[in-house]
Amino acid sequence: GAGVSQSPRYKVAKRGQDVALRCDPISGHVSLFWYQQALGQGPEFLTYFQNEAQLDKSGLPSDRFFAERPEGSVSTLKIQRTQQEDSAVYLCASSLYLEQGRNQPQHFGDGTRLSIL
Amino acid sequence: AQKITQTQPGMFVQEKEAVTLDCTYDTSDPSYGLFWYKQPSSGEMIFLIYQGSYDQQNATEGRYSLNFQKARKSANLVISASQLGDSAMYFCAMRDSAAGNQFYFGTGTSLTVIP
């Protein structure tokens, strides 16, 4: 497709369950980002991939959060043993290669709204 | 310290009027980029406009323009001739070298266009 695609659009899980969120970036985009957006807040950075390499995971809130992009295209964000505080919208974004000093806009998907009961 | 500050939680504007959404930023890096995104109630983040720290002129994209005041570290978004479809959340974001590749986002401004 032309844009960033995320699935599922909505996910409801019980506390303690594991969830997996999928992101399909724009074709040809080397860089891929995951963000967490709490209600009424701006997106907060979670992790960044350049191709299949996870270059920055400083924003992951705990070791229950894990992201991968094994073939450098589709990415999965996995949350293990979910907690209620994990309830948020999870946004995926992709961009062209970010050379040092160059700035490219990030193109976002529609997000996955995760609710933990 | 907050990298991006948006001090207007909510704004109202009459249809066809212009509106300015405020954004101030904090960085000691001489090389940085500033971005504005629109987020309608449906949730998608739509890229609007970009301003580079070395750009000599203010960025413009159609009805959107960026009032970039480098010394004041402000990058206000101006929307001219507001339309009902402009009602949404608006986020200011910054990327600098210290940030690596992540964007820092502000808390957003909710804009409502009144018919």
Side-chain angles (χ1 to χ4, degrees):
Chain A
V4 178
S5 178
Q6 290 188 247
S7 61
R9 190 81 170 90
Y10 301 92
K11 177 69 178 177
V12 180
K14 292 182 179 179
R15 186 165 60 91
Q17 288 183 330
D18 298 348
V19 297
L21 313 179
R22 175 188 169 104
C23 172
D24 204 333
I26 293 173
S27 178
H29 279 195
V30 168
S31 303
L32 185 145
F33 307 79
W34 283 98
Y35 291 85
Q36 180 189 61
Q37 187 177 19
L39 191 63
Q41 300 295 316
E44 296 270 351
F45 171 79
L46 293 177
T47 187
Y48 160 68
F49 289 86
Q50 185 177 305
N51 293 310
E52 69 279 2
Q54 188 176 19
L55 299 187
D56 187 348
K57 52 181 181 179
S58 62
L60 295 176
S62 78
D63 59 8
R64 296 186 296 104
F65 287 71
F66 172 76
E68 60 183 5
R69 194 186 184 197
E71 296 179 357
S73 56
V74 172
S75 177
T76 303
L77 176 67
K78 297 179 179 178
I79 309 173
Q80 298 175 325
R81 304 180 304 281
T82 52
Q83 303 293 318
Q84 284 191 323
E85 61 263 28
D86 299 335
S87 296
V89 175
Y90 290 84
L91 293 166
C92 176
S94 70
S95 74
L96 294 171
Y97 176 57
L98 294 175
E99 297 174 16
Q100 188 65 28
R102 302 286 297 276
N103 285 287
Q104 293 283 347
Q106 297 185 8
H107 300 273
F108 285 79
D110 291 349
T112 294
R113 188 175 298 275
L114 177 64
S115 297
I116 305 300
L117 305 178
Chain B
Q2 288 289 331
K3 286 270 191 177
I4 295 287
T5 302
Q6 294 179 256
T7 58
Q8 306 155 314
M11 290 282 286
F12 292 86
V13 64
Q14 203 75 35
E15 192 178 7
K16 300 180 184 176
E17 298 290 314
V19 64
T20 298
L21 307 183
D22 294 342
C23 172
T24 57
Y25 58 92
D26 180 25
T27 182
S28 56
D29 190 341
S31 176
Y32 53 90
L34 297 157
F35 304 79
W36 276 92
Y37 285 84
K38 171 184 177 182
Q39 188 175 45
S41 57
S42 50
E44 72 270 33
M45 294 281 281
I46 302 166
F47 167 69
L48 296 178
I49 195 167
Y50 160 76
Q51 180 84 45
S53 58
Y54 293 119
D55 293 344
Q56 295 297 312
Q57 293 188 329
N58 287 345
T60 60
E61 288 286 347
R63 294 187 299 111
Y64 304 108
S65 61
L66 207 151
N67 183 1
F68 182 45
Q69 298 187 42
K70 197 169 182 176
R72 294 186 176 184
K73 294 188 175 179
S74 74
N76 299 338
L77 176 70
V78 180
I79 305 174
S80 62
S82 296
Q83 301 172 357
L84 296 179
D86 294 335
S87 295
M89 285 291 291
Y90 288 81
F91 290 97
C92 179
M94 179 182 71
R95 174 180 180 258
D96 62 17
S97 294
N101 292 293
Q102 66 168 285
F103 280 29
Y104 292 103
F105 284 84
T107 52
T109 295
S110 175
L111 177 67
T112 302
V113 180
I114 304 166

Short mmCIF file of all heavy atoms in Angstrom, two decimals, chain A residues 9 33 35 37 40-45 48 50 55-56 58 91 98-110 113, chain B residues 31-33 35 37 39 41-47 50 52 89 91 95-97 99-108:
data_model
loop_
_atom_site.label_atom_id
_atom_site.label_comp_id
_atom_site.label_asym_id
_atom_site.label_seq_id
_atom_site.Cartn_x
_atom_site.Cartn_y
_atom_site.Cartn_z
N ARG A 9 -6.17 -2.75 14.40
CA ARG A 9 -6.52 -1.36 14.68
C ARG A 9 -6.86 -1.19 16.16
O ARG A 9 -6.51 -0.19 16.77
CB ARG A 9 -7.71 -0.96 13.82
CG ARG A 9 -8.02 0.50 13.85
CD ARG A 9 -7.10 1.30 12.92
NE ARG A 9 -7.59 2.67 12.79
CZ ARG A 9 -7.23 3.67 13.61
NH1 ARG A 9 -6.40 3.43 14.61
NH2 ARG A 9 -7.70 4.88 13.43
N PHE A 33 10.11 3.38 13.20
CA PHE A 33 10.03 3.85 14.58
C PHE A 33 8.74 3.32 15.22
O PHE A 33 7.71 3.23 14.56
CB PHE A 33 9.98 5.39 14.64
CG PHE A 33 11.09 6.07 13.90
CD1 PHE A 33 11.07 6.22 12.53
CD2 PHE A 33 12.17 6.59 14.61
CE1 PHE A 33 12.10 6.86 11.85
CE2 PHE A 33 13.19 7.24 13.94
CZ PHE A 33 13.16 7.37 12.57
N TYR A 35 6.25 4.33 18.56
CA TYR A 35 5.93 5.32 19.57
C TYR A 35 4.74 4.81 20.40
O TYR A 35 3.89 4.06 19.91
CB TYR A 35 5.54 6.66 18.95
CG TYR A 35 6.66 7.41 18.28
CD1 TYR A 35 7.00 7.15 16.95
CD2 TYR A 35 7.38 8.38 18.97
CE1 TYR A 35 8.04 7.84 16.33
CE2 TYR A 35 8.41 9.08 18.35
CZ TYR A 35 8.73 8.80 17.03
OH TYR A 35 9.75 9.49 16.43
N GLN A 37 1.57 6.43 22.56
CA GLN A 37 0.84 7.68 22.81
C GLN A 37 -0.26 7.43 23.84
O GLN A 37 -1.26 6.77 23.56
CB GLN A 37 0.24 8.23 21.52
CG GLN A 37 -0.40 9.61 21.72
CD GLN A 37 -0.93 10.21 20.43
OE1 GLN A 37 -1.17 9.51 19.45
NE2 GLN A 37 -1.11 11.51 20.41
N GLY A 40 -4.36 11.93 25.54
CA GLY A 40 -4.13 13.35 25.79
C GLY A 40 -2.68 13.79 25.76
O GLY A 40 -2.37 14.93 26.13
N GLN A 41 -1.80 12.91 25.31
CA GLN A 41 -0.38 13.23 25.28
C GLN A 41 0.17 13.12 23.86
O GLN A 41 -0.49 12.58 22.97
CB GLN A 41 0.40 12.26 26.19
CG GLN A 41 -0.01 12.30 27.65
CD GLN A 41 0.31 13.64 28.29
OE1 GLN A 41 1.39 14.21 28.09
NE2 GLN A 41 -0.64 14.17 29.03
N GLY A 42 1.37 13.63 23.68
CA GLY A 42 2.05 13.44 22.42
C GLY A 42 2.73 12.08 22.38
O GLY A 42 2.92 11.44 23.41
N PRO A 43 3.09 11.62 21.19
CA PRO A 43 3.78 10.32 21.10
C PRO A 43 5.12 10.33 21.82
O PRO A 43 5.84 11.33 21.80
CB PRO A 43 3.99 10.16 19.59
CG PRO A 43 2.97 11.05 18.95
CD PRO A 43 2.83 12.20 19.88
N GLU A 44 5.43 9.22 22.45
CA GLU A 44 6.71 9.03 23.14
C GLU A 44 7.48 7.93 22.43
O GLU A 44 6.95 6.84 22.20
CB GLU A 44 6.48 8.65 24.60
CG GLU A 44 5.78 9.71 25.43
CD GLU A 44 6.74 10.66 26.11
OE1 GLU A 44 7.97 10.40 26.07
OE2 GLU A 44 6.28 11.66 26.67
N PHE A 45 8.74 8.22 22.14
CA PHE A 45 9.59 7.29 21.40
C PHE A 45 9.80 6.00 22.17
O PHE A 45 10.05 5.99 23.38
CB PHE A 45 10.94 7.96 21.15
CG PHE A 45 12.00 7.06 20.58
CD1 PHE A 45 12.01 6.73 19.25
CD2 PHE A 45 12.99 6.56 21.41
CE1 PHE A 45 13.01 5.91 18.73
CE2 PHE A 45 13.99 5.73 20.91
CZ PHE A 45 13.99 5.41 19.57
N TYR A 48 13.82 2.31 17.51
CA TYR A 48 14.12 2.68 16.13
C TYR A 48 14.91 1.57 15.44
O TYR A 48 15.83 0.99 16.04
CB TYR A 48 14.93 3.98 16.12
CG TYR A 48 15.72 4.25 14.86
CD1 TYR A 48 15.07 4.53 13.67
CD2 TYR A 48 17.12 4.23 14.87
CE1 TYR A 48 15.78 4.78 12.51
CE2 TYR A 48 17.85 4.49 13.72
CZ TYR A 48 17.17 4.76 12.54
OH TYR A 48 17.88 5.00 11.38
N GLN A 50 16.96 0.61 11.72
CA GLN A 50 17.46 0.94 10.40
C GLN A 50 17.64 -0.39 9.69
O GLN A 50 18.51 -1.18 10.05
CB GLN A 50 18.78 1.70 10.49
CG GLN A 50 19.31 2.17 9.15
CD GLN A 50 20.58 2.99 9.31
OE1 GLN A 50 20.59 3.97 10.06
NE2 GLN A 50 21.63 2.58 8.66
N LEU A 55 18.69 0.03 16.29
CA LEU A 55 19.78 0.92 16.68
C LEU A 55 19.51 1.68 17.97
O LEU A 55 20.45 2.21 18.57
CB LEU A 55 20.08 1.91 15.55
CG LEU A 55 20.53 1.30 14.22
CD1 LEU A 55 20.95 2.39 13.24
CD2 LEU A 55 21.66 0.30 14.44
N ASP A 56 18.27 1.77 18.36
CA ASP A 56 17.95 2.54 19.57
C ASP A 56 16.71 1.92 20.19
O ASP A 56 15.67 1.87 19.54
CB ASP A 56 17.73 4.01 19.22
CG ASP A 56 17.56 4.90 20.45
OD1 ASP A 56 17.37 4.38 21.56
OD2 ASP A 56 17.59 6.14 20.29
N SER A 58 16.09 2.79 23.57
CA SER A 58 16.16 3.49 24.84
C SER A 58 14.79 3.86 25.40
O SER A 58 14.66 4.09 26.60
CB SER A 58 17.02 4.75 24.70
OG SER A 58 16.44 5.64 23.76
N LEU A 91 1.94 3.75 17.91
CA LEU A 91 2.11 4.28 16.55
C LEU A 91 3.41 3.78 15.94
O LEU A 91 4.44 3.75 16.61
CB LEU A 91 2.13 5.81 16.58
CG LEU A 91 0.84 6.51 16.99
CD1 LEU A 91 1.11 7.98 17.31
CD2 LEU A 91 -0.19 6.42 15.89
N LEU A 98 17.84 8.34 7.31
CA LEU A 98 18.16 9.58 7.99
C LEU A 98 19.67 9.74 8.07
O LEU A 98 20.31 9.24 8.98
CB LEU A 98 17.56 9.61 9.39
CG LEU A 98 16.04 9.63 9.48
CD1 LEU A 98 15.58 9.53 10.93
CD2 LEU A 98 15.48 10.90 8.86
N GLU A 99 20.22 10.43 7.09
CA GLU A 99 21.64 10.72 7.17
C GLU A 99 21.88 11.76 8.25
O GLU A 99 21.01 12.56 8.57
CB GLU A 99 22.13 11.25 5.83
CG GLU A 99 22.01 10.25 4.70
CD GLU A 99 22.38 10.87 3.35
OE1 GLU A 99 23.00 11.94 3.36
OE2 GLU A 99 22.06 10.28 2.33
N GLN A 100 23.08 11.75 8.79
CA GLN A 100 23.39 12.72 9.82
C GLN A 100 23.19 14.13 9.29
O GLN A 100 23.69 14.50 8.26
CB GLN A 100 24.84 12.53 10.29
CG GLN A 100 25.23 13.36 11.49
CD GLN A 100 24.46 12.97 12.75
OE1 GLN A 100 24.06 11.82 12.87
NE2 GLN A 100 24.25 13.90 13.62
N GLY A 101 22.46 14.92 10.00
CA GLY A 101 22.24 16.30 9.59
C GLY A 101 21.11 16.46 8.59
O GLY A 101 20.72 17.58 8.30
N ARG A 102 20.59 15.36 8.05
CA ARG A 102 19.48 15.48 7.12
C ARG A 102 18.20 15.16 7.87
O ARG A 102 18.19 14.37 8.79
CB ARG A 102 19.65 14.49 5.97
CG ARG A 102 20.92 14.64 5.18
CD ARG A 102 20.88 15.87 4.28
NE ARG A 102 19.84 15.78 3.29
CZ ARG A 102 19.99 15.15 2.12
NH1 ARG A 102 21.12 14.54 1.83
NH2 ARG A 102 19.01 15.13 1.26
N ASN A 103 17.15 15.80 7.48
CA ASN A 103 15.89 15.58 8.16
C ASN A 103 14.82 15.15 7.18
O ASN A 103 14.58 15.83 6.20
CB ASN A 103 15.46 16.85 8.90
CG ASN A 103 16.26 17.07 10.15
OD1 ASN A 103 16.09 16.38 11.14
ND2 ASN A 103 17.17 18.01 10.11
N GLN A 104 14.21 14.05 7.47
CA GLN A 104 13.10 13.55 6.69
C GLN A 104 11.89 13.42 7.59
O GLN A 104 12.02 13.01 8.73
CB GLN A 104 13.45 12.16 6.11
CG GLN A 104 14.56 12.15 5.07
CD GLN A 104 14.08 12.64 3.73
OE1 GLN A 104 12.89 12.77 3.51
NE2 GLN A 104 15.02 12.91 2.84
N PRO A 105 10.72 13.76 7.10
CA PRO A 105 9.53 13.57 7.94
C PRO A 105 9.28 12.09 8.16
O PRO A 105 9.63 11.26 7.34
CB PRO A 105 8.42 14.22 7.11
CG PRO A 105 8.90 14.14 5.70
CD PRO A 105 10.39 14.31 5.77
N GLN A 106 8.70 11.79 9.28
CA GLN A 106 8.26 10.44 9.55
C GLN A 106 6.80 10.33 9.12
O GLN A 106 5.99 11.22 9.39
CB GLN A 106 8.42 10.11 11.03
CG GLN A 106 9.86 10.14 11.48
CD GLN A 106 10.04 9.71 12.91
OE1 GLN A 106 9.13 9.25 13.57
NE2 GLN A 106 11.26 9.86 13.40
N HIS A 107 6.47 9.23 8.49
CA HIS A 107 5.11 8.98 8.03
C HIS A 107 4.50 7.92 8.93
O HIS A 107 5.05 6.83 9.07
CB HIS A 107 5.12 8.53 6.57
CG HIS A 107 5.73 9.54 5.66
ND1 HIS A 107 5.00 10.57 5.10
CD2 HIS A 107 7.01 9.71 5.23
CE1 HIS A 107 5.80 11.32 4.35
NE2 HIS A 107 7.01 10.83 4.42
N PHE A 108 3.37 8.27 9.52
CA PHE A 108 2.79 7.43 10.56
C PHE A 108 1.65 6.56 10.04
O PHE A 108 0.92 6.94 9.10
CB PHE A 108 2.24 8.31 11.69
CG PHE A 108 3.28 8.89 12.58
CD1 PHE A 108 4.01 10.00 12.20
CD2 PHE A 108 3.53 8.32 13.82
CE1 PHE A 108 4.98 10.54 13.03
CE2 PHE A 108 4.49 8.85 14.66
CZ PHE A 108 5.22 9.95 14.27
N GLY A 109 1.48 5.41 10.70
CA GLY A 109 0.30 4.60 10.50
C GLY A 109 -0.83 5.11 11.36
O GLY A 109 -0.68 6.10 12.09
N ASP A 110 -1.98 4.44 11.27
CA ASP A 110 -3.15 4.85 12.03
C ASP A 110 -3.07 4.45 13.50
O ASP A 110 -3.89 4.89 14.30
CB ASP A 110 -4.43 4.27 11.42
CG ASP A 110 -4.75 4.89 10.07
OD1 ASP A 110 -4.11 5.91 9.73
OD2 ASP A 110 -5.62 4.36 9.37
N ARG A 113 -4.82 0.77 18.94
CA ARG A 113 -5.31 1.19 20.26
C ARG A 113 -5.39 -0.04 21.14
O ARG A 113 -6.21 -0.93 20.91
CB ARG A 113 -6.68 1.86 20.14
CG ARG A 113 -7.17 2.48 21.44
CD ARG A 113 -8.47 3.24 21.23
NE ARG A 113 -8.32 4.34 20.30
CZ ARG A 113 -7.90 5.55 20.63
NH1 ARG A 113 -7.60 5.82 21.89
NH2 ARG A 113 -7.79 6.50 19.72
N SER B 31 22.27 21.97 14.75
CA SER B 31 21.59 21.30 13.63
C SER B 31 20.37 20.54 14.14
O SER B 31 20.50 19.59 14.91
CB SER B 31 22.56 20.33 12.95
OG SER B 31 21.89 19.61 11.92
N TYR B 32 19.22 20.98 13.72
CA TYR B 32 17.99 20.33 14.17
C TYR B 32 16.89 20.57 13.15
O TYR B 32 17.00 21.43 12.27
CB TYR B 32 17.56 20.81 15.56
CG TYR B 32 17.44 22.30 15.70
CD1 TYR B 32 16.25 22.96 15.43
CD2 TYR B 32 18.52 23.07 16.12
CE1 TYR B 32 16.14 24.33 15.56
CE2 TYR B 32 18.43 24.44 16.25
CZ TYR B 32 17.24 25.07 15.97
OH TYR B 32 17.13 26.43 16.10
N GLY B 33 15.85 19.78 13.26
CA GLY B 33 14.69 19.92 12.38
C GLY B 33 13.43 20.03 13.21
O GLY B 33 13.30 19.39 14.26
N PHE B 35 9.15 19.93 13.05
CA PHE B 35 8.06 19.35 12.26
C PHE B 35 6.72 19.66 12.94
O PHE B 35 6.64 19.71 14.16
CB PHE B 35 8.21 17.82 12.17
CG PHE B 35 9.52 17.36 11.61
CD1 PHE B 35 10.67 17.33 12.40
CD2 PHE B 35 9.62 16.93 10.31
CE1 PHE B 35 11.88 16.89 11.89
CE2 PHE B 35 10.83 16.47 9.78
CZ PHE B 35 11.96 16.46 10.58
N TYR B 37 2.72 18.12 12.93
CA TYR B 37 1.82 17.06 12.52
C TYR B 37 0.40 17.40 12.97
O TYR B 37 0.19 18.04 13.99
CB TYR B 37 2.23 15.72 13.16
CG TYR B 37 3.44 15.08 12.55
CD1 TYR B 37 4.72 15.46 12.93
CD2 TYR B 37 3.31 14.10 11.58
CE1 TYR B 37 5.84 14.87 12.36
CE2 TYR B 37 4.41 13.50 11.00
CZ TYR B 37 5.67 13.88 11.40
OH TYR B 37 6.78 13.30 10.83
N GLN B 39 -3.28 15.54 13.90
CA GLN B 39 -3.88 14.26 14.28
C GLN B 39 -5.38 14.43 14.43
O GLN B 39 -5.87 14.90 15.47
CB GLN B 39 -3.26 13.71 15.57
CG GLN B 39 -3.72 12.28 15.89
CD GLN B 39 -3.02 11.70 17.10
OE1 GLN B 39 -2.87 12.37 18.13
NE2 GLN B 39 -2.60 10.44 16.99
N SER B 41 -9.40 13.14 14.82
CA SER B 41 -9.96 12.22 15.81
C SER B 41 -9.81 10.76 15.39
O SER B 41 -9.83 9.87 16.23
CB SER B 41 -11.43 12.55 16.05
OG SER B 41 -12.15 12.50 14.83
N SER B 42 -9.63 10.51 14.11
CA SER B 42 -9.45 9.13 13.63
C SER B 42 -8.09 8.57 14.03
O SER B 42 -7.88 7.35 13.97
CB SER B 42 -9.60 9.09 12.11
OG SER B 42 -8.80 10.08 11.50
N GLY B 43 -7.16 9.42 14.43
CA GLY B 43 -5.93 8.92 15.03
C GLY B 43 -4.67 9.00 14.20
O GLY B 43 -3.57 8.96 14.75
N GLU B 44 -4.78 9.10 12.86
CA GLU B 44 -3.54 9.10 12.08
C GLU B 44 -2.79 10.40 12.26
O GLU B 44 -3.37 11.44 12.49
CB GLU B 44 -3.82 8.85 10.59
CG GLU B 44 -4.47 9.99 9.85
CD GLU B 44 -5.97 9.95 9.87
OE1 GLU B 44 -6.54 9.49 10.89
OE2 GLU B 44 -6.58 10.38 8.88
N MET B 45 -1.48 10.33 12.19
CA MET B 45 -0.61 11.51 12.29
C MET B 45 -0.24 11.93 10.87
O MET B 45 0.39 11.18 10.14
CB MET B 45 0.66 11.18 13.07
CG MET B 45 0.43 10.84 14.53
SD MET B 45 0.20 12.30 15.51
CE MET B 45 1.89 12.85 15.69
N ILE B 46 -0.60 13.15 10.53
CA ILE B 46 -0.39 13.64 9.17
C ILE B 46 0.69 14.71 9.19
O ILE B 46 0.56 15.72 9.88
CB ILE B 46 -1.70 14.23 8.61
CG1 ILE B 46 -2.81 13.17 8.63
CG2 ILE B 46 -1.49 14.76 7.18
CD1 ILE B 46 -4.19 13.72 8.41
N PHE B 47 1.76 14.49 8.42
CA PHE B 47 2.85 15.45 8.35
C PHE B 47 2.38 16.71 7.62
O PHE B 47 1.75 16.63 6.56
CB PHE B 47 4.03 14.83 7.62
CG PHE B 47 5.08 15.82 7.21
CD1 PHE B 47 5.86 16.46 8.16
CD2 PHE B 47 5.29 16.13 5.88
CE1 PHE B 47 6.82 17.38 7.79
CE2 PHE B 47 6.24 17.04 5.50
CZ PHE B 47 7.02 17.67 6.45
N TYR B 50 7.86 21.24 7.56
CA TYR B 50 9.18 21.04 8.13
C TYR B 50 10.00 22.33 8.04
O TYR B 50 9.93 23.04 7.04
CB TYR B 50 9.90 19.91 7.39
CG TYR B 50 11.39 19.91 7.56
CD1 TYR B 50 11.97 19.47 8.75
CD2 TYR B 50 12.24 20.39 6.55
CE1 TYR B 50 13.34 19.48 8.93
CE2 TYR B 50 13.60 20.40 6.72
CZ TYR B 50 14.16 19.94 7.90
OH TYR B 50 15.51 19.96 8.08
N GLY B 52 14.11 23.44 8.82
CA GLY B 52 15.46 23.09 9.25
C GLY B 52 16.11 24.26 9.94
O GLY B 52 15.84 25.42 9.61
N MET B 89 -6.03 17.67 16.60
CA MET B 89 -4.87 17.94 17.48
C MET B 89 -3.68 18.25 16.58
O MET B 89 -3.50 17.62 15.53
CB MET B 89 -4.56 16.71 18.32
CG MET B 89 -5.49 16.45 19.48
SD MET B 89 -5.34 17.69 20.78
CE MET B 89 -3.71 17.31 21.42
N PHE B 91 0.53 18.66 16.68
CA PHE B 91 1.74 18.37 17.46
C PHE B 91 2.96 18.98 16.78
O PHE B 91 3.15 18.85 15.58
CB PHE B 91 1.95 16.86 17.59
CG PHE B 91 0.95 16.18 18.47
CD1 PHE B 91 -0.16 15.57 17.92
CD2 PHE B 91 1.12 16.14 19.85
CE1 PHE B 91 -1.10 14.94 18.73
CE2 PHE B 91 0.20 15.52 20.66
CZ PHE B 91 -0.91 14.91 20.10
N ARG B 95 13.75 17.03 15.95
CA ARG B 95 14.82 16.05 15.93
C ARG B 95 16.14 16.82 15.94
O ARG B 95 16.33 17.73 15.14
CB ARG B 95 14.75 15.18 14.67
CG ARG B 95 15.93 14.22 14.52
CD ARG B 95 15.84 13.39 13.27
NE ARG B 95 16.99 12.50 13.16
CZ ARG B 95 18.02 12.72 12.35
NH1 ARG B 95 18.04 13.79 11.58
NH2 ARG B 95 19.02 11.87 12.30
N ASP B 96 17.03 16.47 16.87
CA ASP B 96 18.37 17.04 16.84
C ASP B 96 19.40 15.92 16.92
O ASP B 96 19.04 14.76 17.09
CB ASP B 96 18.56 18.09 17.94
CG ASP B 96 18.41 17.51 19.35
OD1 ASP B 96 18.48 16.28 19.51
OD2 ASP B 96 18.21 18.31 20.29
N SER B 97 20.65 16.26 16.83
CA SER B 97 21.69 15.23 16.80
C SER B 97 21.72 14.44 18.11
O SER B 97 21.98 13.25 18.12
CB SER B 97 23.06 15.86 16.55
OG SER B 97 23.10 16.42 15.26
N ALA B 99 19.30 13.70 19.85
CA ALA B 99 18.16 12.79 19.89
C ALA B 99 18.44 11.52 19.10
O ALA B 99 17.67 10.58 19.18
CB ALA B 99 16.92 13.47 19.34
N GLY B 100 19.49 11.51 18.33
CA GLY B 100 19.71 10.39 17.45
C GLY B 100 18.69 10.42 16.36
O GLY B 100 18.63 11.36 15.59
N ASN B 101 17.87 9.41 16.30
CA ASN B 101 16.89 9.37 15.23
C ASN B 101 15.46 9.54 15.71
O ASN B 101 14.53 9.51 14.93
CB ASN B 101 17.03 8.06 14.47
CG ASN B 101 18.34 8.00 13.72
OD1 ASN B 101 18.53 8.75 12.78
ND2 ASN B 101 19.24 7.15 14.17
N GLN B 102 15.26 9.73 16.99
CA GLN B 102 13.90 9.86 17.48
C GLN B 102 13.44 11.29 17.35
O GLN B 102 14.22 12.22 17.25
CB GLN B 102 13.81 9.42 18.94
CG GLN B 102 14.57 10.30 19.90
CD GLN B 102 14.20 9.97 21.34
OE1 GLN B 102 13.13 10.33 21.79
NE2 GLN B 102 15.08 9.28 22.04
N PHE B 103 12.12 11.43 17.34
CA PHE B 103 11.50 12.74 17.38
C PHE B 103 10.99 12.97 18.79
O PHE B 103 10.46 12.08 19.43
CB PHE B 103 10.29 12.80 16.43
CG PHE B 103 10.62 13.01 14.98
CD1 PHE B 103 11.82 12.57 14.45
CD2 PHE B 103 9.72 13.64 14.15
CE1 PHE B 103 12.12 12.75 13.11
CE2 PHE B 103 10.00 13.83 12.80
CZ PHE B 103 11.19 13.39 12.28
N TYR B 104 11.13 14.19 19.26
CA TYR B 104 10.50 14.60 20.50
C TYR B 104 9.23 15.35 20.14
O TYR B 104 9.27 16.28 19.33
CB TYR B 104 11.41 15.51 21.31
CG TYR B 104 12.62 14.83 21.88
CD1 TYR B 104 13.86 15.00 21.28
CD2 TYR B 104 12.54 14.01 23.00
CE1 TYR B 104 14.98 14.37 21.79
CE2 TYR B 104 13.66 13.39 23.51
CZ TYR B 104 14.88 13.57 22.90
OH TYR B 104 15.98 12.95 23.40
N PHE B 105 8.13 14.98 20.75
CA PHE B 105 6.84 15.62 20.48
C PHE B 105 6.39 16.45 21.67
O PHE B 105 6.68 16.12 22.82
CB PHE B 105 5.76 14.57 20.21
CG PHE B 105 5.84 13.95 18.84
CD1 PHE B 105 6.68 12.89 18.59
CD2 PHE B 105 5.06 14.44 17.81
CE1 PHE B 105 6.76 12.31 17.33
CE2 PHE B 105 5.12 13.87 16.54
CZ PHE B 105 5.97 12.81 16.31
N GLY B 106 5.65 17.52 21.38
CA GLY B 106 4.99 18.28 22.43
C GLY B 106 3.70 17.59 22.84
O GLY B 106 3.35 16.52 22.32
N THR B 107 2.98 18.21 23.75
CA THR B 107 1.74 17.63 24.26
C THR B 107 0.53 17.95 23.39
O THR B 107 -0.55 17.43 23.62
CB THR B 107 1.46 18.13 25.68
OG1 THR B 107 1.53 19.56 25.69
CG2 THR B 107 2.48 17.57 26.67
N GLY B 108 0.74 18.80 22.40
CA GLY B 108 -0.32 19.03 21.43
C GLY B 108 -1.23 20.18 21.76
O GLY B 108 -1.35 20.61 22.91
#
